[in-house]
Amino acid sequence: SSAGFSIDTFIIPPGEQSKSLGMAEKIYRKALEIPLDRKSAILALGGGVVGDLAGFIAATYMRGIAFLQAPTSLLAQVDSSVGGKVAVNHPLGKNTIGAFHQPKMVYVAADCLLTLPHREFISGIAEVVKYGIILDYAFFEWLERYVDDGQYLQMDSLVHIIKTSCHIKSKIVSRDEKEENLRAILNFGHTIGHAVEATTDFSRYTHGESVAIGMVYEAKLSSALGLMPASSVSRIVQLFQKIGLPIKTTGLDPELLLQYMMRDKKNIGSQLVFVLPDSIGHVRIVKDVDINLVREVLKE
């Protein structure tokens, strides 16, 4: 305001339930009532849900207006605010309605993390671990050491975590913005993780908790396929346990999980496609995975 901008706000309820077409319609109405024009900009101040929803509005309002990110959760700072993926959920699947709309700026204030509830902070660590598993063994080793002595909770360690994660993701996205090949590796853990979220109506687990569960099950699937040694799976499980993230889910119907997984955006026709690690620090895209093997892994 002091710089001469006219500011309007729209505050949404927390949680994945707000990332919907219904909420988007309310924001479109507000934008038209203000009215926002094609020279206006939308600033997302909040976590991943806020960023995804605000970006979706910016991408589609008047065929696209400027978009800026000020992520306040660890998960948003290390993952969802970088790369330009914006979307809303549908009852039949997560992030199924969306676009690629790059922010003009991403401003990360690490001090915001000191205000997070512990569960939300820990949830963000899941995506951090993912970067080590898919592309950076040294970073995974660093996380193992620093989680052991709790130093990852210190500000200098948090800044290192954020910078390293953003560097890895931006390197991948700059080579494959529209997820035609390489960017798909960022989806490790998300095929099963998104199914867990959808099956539980986005209410039992946070996104990070769901992805942690997904990474464990997908690592076990990789081991069942003979790709990843069991010792590496154990290291992943042990790291999540030390952080305090869930490593399994109970009471969910494997067949219902499979129904959601069959709608995954990576799939080709009726073929299940997974991003699976063959070692810590390297993953591969595996097509036409045997559904019966996936079913057996889920039943564990």
Side-chain angles (χ1 to χ4, degrees), residues 48-66:
V49 168
V50 171
D52 281 5
L53 178 61
F56 179 78
I57 301 297
T60 50
Y61 182 77
M62 294 191 174
R63 297 192 177 91
I65 61 174

Side-chain angles (χ1 to χ4, degrees), residues 147-279:
V147 165
D148 278 340
D149 57 23
Q151 289 192 36
Y152 70 106
L153 296 172
Q154 298 176 3
M155 186 52 65
D156 58 345
S157 295
L158 290 176
V159 171
H160 175 69
I161 283 170
I162 296 166
K163 288 177 67 175
T164 303
S165 299
C166 288
H167 174 72
I168 292 171
K169 182 162 187 181
S170 61
K171 182 167 64 174
I172 293 170
V173 170
S174 64
R175 292 171 57 188
D176 180 22
E177 181 186 8
K178 299 293 177 68
E179 201 173 284
E180 295 175 2
N181 43 67
L182 177 65
R183 185 170 179 168
I185 70 173
L186 293 166
N187 285 303
F188 169 57
H190 286 62
T191 301
I192 293 177
H194 281 173
V196 168
E197 284 185 285
T199 305
T200 56
D201 196 29
F202 304 102
S203 58
R204 186 189 301 183
Y205 303 102
T206 66
H207 175 67
E209 289 168 347
S210 299
V211 170
I213 292 167
M215 283 190 273
V216 169
Y217 280 107
E218 290 178 24
K220 289 181 177 180
L221 176 61
S222 180
S223 181
L225 286 166
L227 301 176
M228 182 178 234
S231 57
S232 296
V233 178
S234 295
R235 286 178 68 183
I236 293 169
V237 169
Q238 288 169 13
L239 182 55
F240 283 145
Q241 287 178 315
K242 288 177 182 178
I243 292 168
L245 285 162
I247 58 169
K248 62 181 179 180
T249 184
T250 57
L252 297 187
D253 180 3
E255 296 306 319
L256 187 57
L257 286 169
L258 281 168
Q259 286 180 33
Y260 281 105
M261 289 160 59
M262 291 303 297
R263 303 186 189 108
D264 188 272
K265 297 183 292 297
K266 295 185 300 299
N267 292 345
I268 302 169
S270 60
Q271 292 184 18
L272 273 175
V273 178
F274 282 90
V275 176
L276 299 177
D278 48 26
S279 62

